[in-house]
Structures are given as C-alpha cells and as structure tokens.
C-alpha cells in the first residue's frame, strides 16, 4: 500500500495532480450529484426546518423557530389552528407579549404565575389577560402558587418571599445574607495597662463615675432591646435552589462551596486584537472538589439546619475496583454526596430528596424529616459502573424525572433497576414500590396529565430505533400509542391537551412539523415542508438497520450504506459517532447530518459504509451504556473490529481496504483503532479527538474511568497516547485550535509522541478559528476534502 508523503503540502499536490489528469477533486469521475463542497456548505442550502416548538397559552397557536428567508439566524414563526395552511412570521411586538412557557399553574389551571423581565405577572386563561402584580428593585424568580392559592412564593436575591394577592402584602420568609456574622471582639489588655487603668480609676473619681454610668446604660439597653432577628450567613458559600414548601412552613436550599481546582487556558491566536488571548477553560478530571450541602429553613423555629446524610445505607461502601490495587490502603469513610433536588408534596407536609454520591456509584431517594433534617431512605440504586440513564439525571447537574402524585402519598421516579430505565411509583408511608412500565425498552419524559389521571410519555417500545408517544393510566396499565409515523415523534402537547404538535423525521427526511389530535386514530397533518429543491432533487438513501454478532455474543446495531454493484470498489469506511450518551443507528434524521450526506457521497463512489452503535451508546439499556466502564477503547473498539469482520464475511469487503473516522469520542476510537488494530484499519481520520483521558473534564470522565489518582489502570488502558507506537497505517489528525472542550493540547502532546517514535505516515490539519463543533463551511469543506482524499489514496491504490 502506498504510504502518505510526510509533507504538509501533499494534499494540495494530489488535488492538483488529480485535476490535471482529468478527474474531479474527489478522485473519481463525476458520476455523483454530490460533492464535498456541496454537502459541507452553509446548511441553509438544504432548506429550512422547524425547531424549538411551543404553544400559546390558549392552545390556539403553535410557535416555532424557522428561517425561510435564509437569514443568518432563525426567527419566530407561528401557525394558528384556525388556518393551518398559513405560516406567519411573528412581529417583535407580538413576541414581547407572549406568555412564558415557564411558570406555575394553579390546581384548576385557570391561572398561571410567572416572572417576566424580573416582574411578577399573573395570566388568566379564560380571559387571556395578564396582570403585573409586582415590580421590585431586583428580579423576581421561581414564582409558585402555595397550597393557599391566594399566596404566591417567589425568590428575590438570596431570599424567599410570599405575596398575598388578597391583602396585596409581601412577607419576607428568610433572612439570608452573604459573608460572615460580625464577631464581638474581646478586649485584650496587658497586665501593665490593666494596672495603669485601675490606678487611674481609683485616683480620679469623676472618670470612675462616668465609666459606671456607661456600664449601667449598656446593661439597660440590653435588657430592653427587642430580640434580634435571626440571620443565616452564607459565609464563603453560594446559595442555590431556594424553594418554599407549599404550606409555607419550611424552605430548602443548597449551599455550594466551589473548589474546582486549577483551570486550563486555550490560546486564541487569531483574536481580533491581533494578540494571542488565553480563553478560560475547564479544569481536568479529578480536580472538581465542589461541596454541596442541603439546608432546611424552619420558619416556626426561625433557624437553619442541614440534612443528615451519614445514615444513608451503604454510605461507606468502597467501589469494586479497589481490588485491583491490593497494595493501597482504602479507608471506609462517609462518601461525599450531592443532593440534587427537593420535591415537596402538594400539601407541603412531606418532602423527598434525590441524592447522588460524588463517586457516581449510588443514587438514594429519601424522605426528609423537615423538623430534624434526618433522612429515611426509600430507594437505593447502586451501580458499580455509574448511575445514569434516561430520566435518572447526573450527579452535579440534576435532570431527573421525579415528583409527587396529588394524593400526597406516592412519588414517581425512573430507575434502571431492571437494566432499562422505567417509571416507578413508591408509597412513602409503606415503602411499597410498583413498576408502571416494564420490558426491554426505555422511557423518556413522563408527565402527568392536567387532571392527574394519566401519564403522557415517550418510549422506545416499538424498537430502539424509533420513538413514540403514549398515554397510560396514572397507576399503570395498558399504554395507548398516540403517534403512528415511523421514525421519531417529538411531541409537544397543547396546554389543554387536545392537540399534539409533532416534530417528526425519518432517516432520510429532516424534521417537519405536524399537527394531530391527541387520539390514537387521528390523522397527523403536515404543516411545514422545508426541503429546498436542490436538497430534494437528490435521492437520499435510507440506511439499512442491521445487527451483527460481536466477539462476546452481543448483537450490535448499526446503519449500513451499500453501493450499487456496478460502482462497488470493495472498500469500506467505518464511521464512529461521538459520545456523551448518543445513539445514531436509528430511523430518524441524524444530528450528524453532514456525515450522513458524506456517507451518501462515499456510497456513490463505491464505498460500503457502516455506522455502529457500539458499547456505550444510548438507547439499549444499562448493560450497553456501561459496557465501556474502566476501559474506553475496549468493547467500544472491538465492536468496530467485529463490524469490519461482518462486512468482510457478508459484503465482499477486501480486508486491505478498510478505513475509519469520527469526531470527538469517534476521533478517540479512530486513534485507538489505528494504534491497536493496524491489521484491521489501513487509514483513519481522527477529528477533535481525546488523546489522553486524564486531560478531559471531570463530569463526563469520572463517571466512566473514576479518577486518575484513584484508578490509574483505567486511564492507562483507555488513552491512545500510550499506544502510539502501534501506528502502521495512514493517519489524519484534525483539530480546532480554540476547542474549549477537547483542548488542542491533546493533539499537540500526541504529535510530539509520534515525532519521538519516528512515525512518518501521519499528518495534522489545524483550524485556527474553530471550537469543538466547527462553524465555518470552509473548515468543514477543507476537513472532509482531506478525509475523502485520505480514503481514496490509501484504500483504492
């Protein structure tokens, strides 16, 4: 196989050579309607597609972002239900008058309270009128109806207040201040000075009398003074998530002490100033020492106390991986925890809290004794890998689906107890738990209906590659499927729940807006049709959804693009999607739309393309999600290798003609593939890739690999920089220089390693103005021109 020239100008040379001999820059005669330049241009060429859908408060109008005028940014458009064939741009004046999608309804949903421009506003659903209730010196936030709906709680600064609508009065509930309380200083005096003072008082009677009078006056003031108001001082902590119980007896809030460790800097060499400017960036994994405490403000006792987490079951448990370090002493102490959110029952009498361990191994749901701060654990989910999954949230970021039924007795939450994320009810009095959904599928975004008698929820019950919307009785039972269109149905219920606005897409059809009655047998009406003529003129492929068997017997899902027999070149390209928790082998329009179009181009040119939902991908349950625990580049990489074996055995692929590429996590896998599986992959393009996980962020990395100082084995076997000596094929590294996610430093360190190892068949393309996600069409075009030329040169010789 012809090796790459170790010359940074070689791509330009080959481009000129191919042009001179009568070929296009893609290296093949012009048989395709597609080109890299076309598919990587400004996405506006594809058309305009709706996003950010929301309803008017009266359920009569659908609003969404749209861009038929091909402006630099989307604008707000609307469709009225009275005339669904008309799409209108929303004026700035009308947009300013819109009712916020956020806020709180009263029980019968006749009124909605919210803040607008920092003011307290109430909306009457029947009349459609809004009334400003309060305009204060600071911005009002977190407005909620109390159990007594004449009262509305809200926060202002670091304190909670109640507005009494009937009396028109405001009551401050909390007295929280920043800084520290003033300490009374005891007078310190030397023996010498004490002797001089006492002698003076004995000699001078008037001075002694005045001193006695001052002491008497101070004693009188203290005896007659009103009791000082209790003040809680934050000291060096920040306040977060302040909320008042519906019965106005308690408030809860989080106290956050931020010690994030040493942050890094990303140099911007093309700043408009003409100087190099360091961009502030994240710290590295293992340096997040943030402490989170949960406090209760007891209004009757006028005091504050913290919840007590030392009795949580398993609080001292050590993780299983400690057995790999027998020479290290591991101390069984109370682990640090992060309380995410407090949930009050509707009557305010009960509260539960979701708590996560900082080592990511445990999630506790506990009932709070609001009088003492003691906890009664209702549910514990333990995972020796890490706690996550749909509806379960994240340690520092929350995001869990959880709350109370109106009976003030049951809470609902999601758990991966069975291996898939399902919806549960739990009786807080008896502790009895009931699964409302079950099966080898996942549940997303469950929401109680207005009358609290049903659930609306999205699931993957039809298959992991589809999403549909369902209705289910509140205590469980048969789920009624309300959407029928194959693919993904992203549903937005109207406030009155009579209609569904649906963003729908299919694997070869971008998102469009539909309207459907909230009934299973109703017909969905398409409201938008945004594809441009240039885009729709090409016959975009519907990738085949397949499964192949991995070396451990698991069935691995993938998308397959197969060329026509007359152009098939027996070469294959493996695409590796990014991570974070992502799925790409599905039936809806991919977020990797540029890569999807590139795969159509590759297939036109005769390549077979496979896009694998490797271990670690979303959509397939807990075991698939955690298959990469403590070894990135393990099963996630072997799944790519097994995919190549599948292509060789079933689709006639020449084992000497296989390339691999991907960005971010996909770039990382590309590097691991090129370094550790050189007999499988002959060429690879690693884009914005992590090269050493010890240099990535804490929130993501510590879940999967723990922390470097505690689990160095996981980092050494997961980081490509340790395996660079294995490079044999042709490697392209591409990276944005102002990437504040995966820092440019990653590939700089790797390039030095490759230089020291004497590796020749690699080269780097750098993009001075690009962050992690490229923006400029010129950058996208340059990057993918290089990728295509890499594959044409390395795989087709």
């Amino acid at each position: 196989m012809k090796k790459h020239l170790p010359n940074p100008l070689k791509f330009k040379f080959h481009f000129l050579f191919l042009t001179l001999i009568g070929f296009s820059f893609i290296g093949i005669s012009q048989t395709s309607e597609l080109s890299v330049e076309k598919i990587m241009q400004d996405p506006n060429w594809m058309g305009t597609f709706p996003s950010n859908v929301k309803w008017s408060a009266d359920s009569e109008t659908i609003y969404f972002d749209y861009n038929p005028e091909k402006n630099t940014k989307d604008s707000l458009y609307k469709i009225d239900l009275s005339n669904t064939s008309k799409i209108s741009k929303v004026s700035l004046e009308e947009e300013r008058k819109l009712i916020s999608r956020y806020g709180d309804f009263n029980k019968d949903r006749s009124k909605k309270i919210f803040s607008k421009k920092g003011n307290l506003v109430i909306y009457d659903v029947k009349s459609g009128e809004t009334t400003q209730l309060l305009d204060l010196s600071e911005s009002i936030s977190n407005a909620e109806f109390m159990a007594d709906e004449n009262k509305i709680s809200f926060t202002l600064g670091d304190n909670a207040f109640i507005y009494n609508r009937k009396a028109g009065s405001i009551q401050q509930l909390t007295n929280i201040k920043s800084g520290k309380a003033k300490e009374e200083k005891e007078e310190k005096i030397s023996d010498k000075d004490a002797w001089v003072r006492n002698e003076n008082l004995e000699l001078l009677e008037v001075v002694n009398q005045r001193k006695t009078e001052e002491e008497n006056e101070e004693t009188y003031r203290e005896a007659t003074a009103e009791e000082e108001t209790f003040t809680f001082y934050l000291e060096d902590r920040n306040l977060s998530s302040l909320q008042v119980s519906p019965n106005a007896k308690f408030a809860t809030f989080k106290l956050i002490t931020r010690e994030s460790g040493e942050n890094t800097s990303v140099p911007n060499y093309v700043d408009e100033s003409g100087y190099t400017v360091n961009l502030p960036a994240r710290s590295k994994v293992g340096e997040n020492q943030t402490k989170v405490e949960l406090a209760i403000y007891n209004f009757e006792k006028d005091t504050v106390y913290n919840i007590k987490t030392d009795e949580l079951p398993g609080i001292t448990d050590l993780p299983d991986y400690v057995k790999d370090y027998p020479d290290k002493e591991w101390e069984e102490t109370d682990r640090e925890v992060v309380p995410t959110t407090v949930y009050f029952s509707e009557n305010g009498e009960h509260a539960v809290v979701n708590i996560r361990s900082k080592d990511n191994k445990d999630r506790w749901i506990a009932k709070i004794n609001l009088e003492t701060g003691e906890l009664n654990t209702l549910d514990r989910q333990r995972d020796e890998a890490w706690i996550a999954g749909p509806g379960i949230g994240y340690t520092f970021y929350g995001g869990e689906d959880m709350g109370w039924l109106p009976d003030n007795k049951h809470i609902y939450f999601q758990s991966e107890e069975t291996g898939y994320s399902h919806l549960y009810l739990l009786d807080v009095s008896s502790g009895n738990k009931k699964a409302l959904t079950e099966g080898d599928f996942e549940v997303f975004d469950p929401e109680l209906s207005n009358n609290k008698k049903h659930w609306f929820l999205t699931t993957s019950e039809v298959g992991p590659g589809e999403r549909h919307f369902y209705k289910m009785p509140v205590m469980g039972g048969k789920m009624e499927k309300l959407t029928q269109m194959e693919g993904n149905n992203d549903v937005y219920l109207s406030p009155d729940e009579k209609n569904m606005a649906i963003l729908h897409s299919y694997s070869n059809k971008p998102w469009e807006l539909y309207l459907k009655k909230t009934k299973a047998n109703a017909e969905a009406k398409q409201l938008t049709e945004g594809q441009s003529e240039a885009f729709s003129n090409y016959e975009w492929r519907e990738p085949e959804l397949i499964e192949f068997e991995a070396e451990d017997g698991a069935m691995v899902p993938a998308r397959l693009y197969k060329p026509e027999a007359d152009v098939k070149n027996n070469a294959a390209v493996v695409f590796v999607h990014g991570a974070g928790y992502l799925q790409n082998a599905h039936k809806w329009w991919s977020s990797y739309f540029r890569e999807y179009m590139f795969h159509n181009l590759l297939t036109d040119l005769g390549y077979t393309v496979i896009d694998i939902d490797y271990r670690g991908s979303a959509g397939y349950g807990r075991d698939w999600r955690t298959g990469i625990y403590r070894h990135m580049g393990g099963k996630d990489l072997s799944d790519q290798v097994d995919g190549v074996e599948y292509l060789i055995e079933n689709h006639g692929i020449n084992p000497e003609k296989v390339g691999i590429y991907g960005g971010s996590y996909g770039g990382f896998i590309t590097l691991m593939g090129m370094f550790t599986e050189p007999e499988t992959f002959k060429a690879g393009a690693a884009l914005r890739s992590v090269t050493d996980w010890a240099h990535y962020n804490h929130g993501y990395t510590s879940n999967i690999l723990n922390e470097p100082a505690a689990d160095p084995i996981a980092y050494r076997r997961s980081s490509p920089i340790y395996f660079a000596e294995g490079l044999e094929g042709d490697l392209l590294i591409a990276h944005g220089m102002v990437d504040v996610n995966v820092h440019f430093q990653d590939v700089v360190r790797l390039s030095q390693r490759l230089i020291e190892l004497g590796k020749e068949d690699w080269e780097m393309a750098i993009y001075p103005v690009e962050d992690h996600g490229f923006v400029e069409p010129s950058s996208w075009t340059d990057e993918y021109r290089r990728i295509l030329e890499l594959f044409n040169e390395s795989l087709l010789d």
Side-chain angles (χ1 to χ4, degrees):
M1 183 178 69
K2 181 180 178 182
K3 295 293 184 181
H4 275 191
L5 298 172
N7 184 333
L9 299 177
K10 63 177 288 298
F11 275 128
K12 181 178 287 188
F13 169 78
H14 284 289
F15 168 73
L16 292 172
F17 175 73
L18 290 168
T19 303
L20 288 170
I21 64 174
F23 284 73
S24 73
F25 74 93
I26 57 176
I28 302 291
S29 59
Q30 287 279 24
T31 59
S32 170
E33 298 177 55
L34 299 181
S35 69
V36 170
E37 291 165 317
K38 181 175 184 178
I39 61 181
M40 296 297 163
Q41 64 182 302
D42 188 318
N44 275 337
W45 83 272
M46 300 163 56
T48 181
F49 306 105
S51 63
N52 196 25
V53 175
K54 47 188 172 288
W55 282 88
S56 62
D58 62 6
S59 300
E60 294 298 323
T61 305
I62 304 171
Y63 293 94
F64 53 97
D65 291 342
Y66 212 47
N67 194 5
E69 299 171 343
K70 301 293 187 294
N71 294 321
T72 55
K73 291 185 178 180
D74 290 357
S75 299
L76 188 64
Y77 282 74
K78 68 176 182 178
I79 295 176
D80 294 322
L81 264 56
S82 60
N83 183 7
T84 56
S85 61
K86 182 181 179 182
I87 301 176
S88 306
K89 190 172 184 178
V90 178
S91 68
L92 184 60
E93 181 180 358
E94 180 181 353
E95 188 172 352
R96 287 171 177 164
K97 293 180 180 178
L98 291 180
I99 305 301
S100 173
R101 69 169 79 181
Y102 307 106
D104 186 41
F105 280 99
N106 60 355
K107 286 183 180 179
D108 65 7
R109 299 184 70 85
S110 62
K111 290 180 172 57
K112 183 179 183 180
I113 193 77
F114 60 96
S115 59
K116 187 171 185 178
K117 294 184 178 179
N119 301 323
L120 187 64
V121 179
I122 192 166
Y123 168 72
D124 187 285
V125 176
K126 186 175 182 180
S127 68
E129 294 182 355
T130 58
T131 304
Q132 182 172 299
L133 301 179
L134 289 176
D135 177 7
L136 303 177
S137 58
E138 295 183 65
S139 292
I140 291 170
S141 59
N142 304 324
E144 291 185 334
F145 283 102
M146 298 280 90
D148 175 358
E149 294 183 356
N150 281 313
K151 297 178 180 178
I152 297 165
S153 69
F154 63 89
T155 58
L156 189 74
D158 285 336
N159 283 288
F161 296 78
I162 281 185
Y163 172 69
N164 190 316
R165 293 166 56 205
K166 184 179 290 186
S169 61
I170 300 175
Q171 177 188 3
Q172 182 172 340
L173 296 175
T174 62
N175 189 25
I176 301 173
K177 294 184 179 181
S178 59
K180 297 181 179 180
K182 293 181 179 179
E183 298 179 359
E184 292 187 9
K185 296 182 179 179
E186 293 185 9
E187 185 181 11
K188 293 183 179 180
I189 189 169
S190 66
D191 291 342
K192 175 183 70 70
D193 290 341
W195 187 89
V196 171
R197 183 179 64 178
N198 292 336
E199 183 193 35
N200 194 50
L201 292 173
E202 289 177 5
L203 291 172
L204 305 178
E205 183 177 351
V206 171
V207 174
N208 192 18
Q209 288 177 350
R210 289 178 179 178
K211 178 180 182 296
T212 303
E213 289 173 359
E214 287 178 0
E215 290 175 346
N216 291 338
E217 288 176 2
E218 178 64 25
T219 302
Y220 176 78
R221 283 195 299 269
E222 291 177 355
T224 59
E226 294 184 7
E227 186 177 348
E228 186 177 349
T229 303
F230 169 74
T231 302
F232 179 77
Y233 289 92
L234 296 175
E235 299 181 347
D236 57 351
R237 301 165 296 189
N238 294 321
L239 181 142
S240 171
S241 307
L242 174 62
Q243 58 179 334
V244 178
S245 64
N247 59 9
K249 292 182 178 180
F250 301 92
T252 60
F253 55 94
K254 288 192 281 190
L255 295 165
I256 302 175
T257 305
R258 300 190 186 278
E259 295 180 14
S260 298
E262 184 179 355
N263 286 340
T264 53
S265 296
V266 174
N268 179 7
Y269 293 100
V270 289
D271 184 76
E272 64 179 23
S273 67
Y275 290 87
T276 299
V277 175
N278 284 329
L279 304 176
R282 55 166 174 78
S283 57
K284 299 181 189 293
V285 59
E287 293 186 359
N288 189 331
Q289 303 302 318
T290 299
K291 181 181 179 181
V292 183
E293 304 165 272
L294 180 64
I296 300 171
Y297 205 124
N298 186 320
F299 299 140
E300 183 178 339
K301 296 180 179 178
D302 203 19
T303 189
V304 171
Y305 39 85
N306 286 1
I307 64 164
K308 303 170 184 177
T309 62
D310 56 336
E311 295 298 325
L312 288 170
I315 191 65
T316 62
D317 287 0
L318 292 172
D320 283 357
Y321 71 79
V322 301
K323 66 180 182 295
D324 288 347
Y325 302 94
D327 297 331
K328 182 176 180 179
E329 289 188 17
W330 298 88
E331 186 178 358
E332 293 188 3
T333 59
D334 288 358
R335 287 176 289 158
E336 288 190 69
V337 298
V338 178
T340 59
T341 310
V342 173
Y343 299 87
F344 286 103
S345 59
E346 287 189 6
N347 61 10
E349 296 299 320
H350 308 290
V352 295
V353 60
N354 185 72
I355 301 173
R356 305 284 293 255
S357 61
K358 279 185 70 174
D359 67 2
N360 311 304
K361 310 299 182 190
D362 276 282
R363 189 276 303 272
W364 297 271
I365 296 172
K367 185 178 178 181
I368 307 173
N369 184 326
L370 293 167
E371 294 287 350
T372 65
E374 295 176 339
L375 298 178
N376 175 29
T377 300
L378 302 171
D379 186 78
R380 178 192 180 193
Q381 183 180 334
R382 171 77 176 182
D383 197 318
E384 284 298 335
W386 74 98
I387 299 287
I392 297 172
Y394 300 91
T395 300
F396 284 98
Y397 313 115
E400 66 274 0
D401 291 320
M402 192 171 167
W404 286 83
L405 295 190
D407 63 4
N408 297 299
K409 180 181 178 183
H410 290 89
I411 59 169
Y412 64 86
F413 59 92
Q414 286 187 241
S415 172
E416 281 188 325
E417 180 177 315
T418 65
Y420 290 85
S421 183
H422 283 289
L423 181 62
Y424 291 81
L425 285 184
L426 190 147
D427 186 323
V428 298
S429 299
S430 67
N432 292 333
K433 184 168 64 174
K434 176 184 178 181
L436 300 185
T437 59
E438 57 184 354
D440 292 350
F441 64 90
E442 295 183 316
V443 168
F444 309 89
D445 306 318
E447 184 177 353
L448 283 168
S449 61
N450 291 343
N451 61 14
K452 312 298 184 184
K453 294 182 179 180
H454 295 90
W455 293 101
F456 291 107
L457 64 161
T458 297
T459 85
S460 58
E461 184 179 25
V462 170
E466 288 196 58
R467 297 287 184 271
H468 285 281
F469 193 65
Y470 295 81
K471 184 178 181 181
M472 180 179 70
V474 71
M475 299 306 289
K478 181 178 175 56
M479 293 195 302
E480 181 184 14
K481 186 164 165 280
L482 299 177
T483 53
Q484 309 301 331
M485 294 180 289
E486 188 176 9
N488 193 335
N489 297 271
D490 190 3
V491 174
Y492 301 82
L493 268 178
S494 60
D496 62 10
E497 298 179 348
K498 294 179 180 179
N499 291 288
M500 300 182 293
I502 306 172
L503 280 181
H504 172 265
S505 72
Y506 194 63
S507 55
N508 60 351
K509 295 176 182 177
W511 301 93
E512 299 288 3
L513 183 62
Y514 292 75
L515 176 66
K516 188 180 188 292
K517 294 288 185 183
T518 312
K519 298 177 181 178
N521 57 0
E523 182 180 352
K525 179 181 180 180
Q526 186 170 344
L527 303 182
T528 62
E529 193 169 350
Q531 293 186 29
S532 68
E533 183 178 356
F535 182 81
S536 60
N537 279 343
Y538 180 84
E539 191 173 344
W540 299 102
R541 289 172 175 81
E542 179 184 336
E544 182 182 351
L545 289 182
I546 64 161
E547 286 186 334
F548 59 85
E549 187 173 358
E551 62 182 0
D552 62 355
M555 299 305 296
V556 183
R559 274 183 166 191
L560 182 65
Y561 301 76
K562 295 187 294 187
E564 298 295 330
D566 59 340
V567 299
K568 184 177 180 182
N569 57 24
N570 296 327
V573 171
V574 178
F575 170 66
V576 189
H577 68 67
Y581 196 44
L582 189 144
Q583 178 183 7
N584 208 41
H586 50 59
K587 292 184 179 181
W588 60 87
W589 185 249
S590 175
S591 58
Y592 288 94
F593 63 91
R594 291 182 179 88
E595 290 79 359
Y596 165 78
M597 292 188 288
F598 184 59
H599 298 161
N600 275 264
L601 169 59
L602 287 173
T603 310
D604 284 346
L605 300 175
Y607 290 92
T608 300
V609 181
I610 192 168
D611 172 2
I612 300 169
D613 271 346
Y614 51 85
R615 244 64 73 93
S617 297
Y620 308 98
R622 181 267 172 197
D623 291 348
W624 206 263
R625 174 179 65 78
T626 61
I628 58 175
Y629 176 58
R630 297 190 70 216
H631 193 184
M632 294 169 164
K635 290 182 179 180
D636 45 1
L637 175 58
S638 65
D639 285 345
Q640 317 296 330
V641 175
D642 292 335
V644 173
E645 289 298 319
Y646 163 81
L647 295 180
I648 293 170
E649 294 175 7
N650 296 276
H651 294 279
I653 296 303
N654 184 335
E656 295 296 317
K657 293 185 174 184
V658 179
I660 184 171
Y661 89 102
S664 196
Y665 198 96
F668 150 72
I669 287 291
T670 297
L671 291 175
M672 290 295 276
M674 294 298 293
F675 294 167
T676 67
E677 296 287 343
E679 68 284 358
T680 302
F681 302 108
K682 308 307 174 186
L687 321 174
R688 52 195 180 276
S689 48
V690 175
T691 67
D692 186 342
W693 286 107
H695 290 256
Y696 197 52
N697 71 25
H698 185 87
Y700 177 78
T701 317
S702 65
N703 277 336
I704 305 171
L705 300 180
N706 304 305
E707 294 188 12
D711 195 4
I713 292 172
Y715 282 82
R716 277 193 163 267
R717 65 186 174 198
S718 298
S719 297
I721 198 167
Y722 292 105
F723 303 95
E725 68 275 4
L727 178 62
E728 295 180 11
D730 298 335
L731 173 63
L732 168 65
I733 300 170
H735 213 107
M737 293 184 73
V738 287
D739 190 335
V740 295
N741 182 9
V742 179
H743 299 165
F744 185 60
Q745 180 194 27
D746 263 52
V747 292
V748 172
R749 293 176 71 242
L750 178 62
S751 65
Q752 179 60 28
R753 179 85 177 117
L754 293 170
I755 291 168
E756 292 175 5
L757 290 168
K759 298 297 180 180
E760 298 181 0
D761 299 307
W762 66 279
E763 46 196 21
M764 186 184 297
I766 60 175
Y767 298 89
V769 300
E770 297 293 358
D771 197 342
H772 195 62
F774 283 14
V775 174
E776 299 301 326
S778 57
S779 301
W780 282 106
T781 300
D782 182 87
E783 183 179 54
Y784 275 78
R785 175 181 63 79
R786 293 174 183 274
I787 297 169
L788 181 57
E789 190 166 341
L790 168 70
F791 291 148
N792 285 341
E793 178 186 298
S794 297
L795 305 181
L796 300 186
D797 282 354

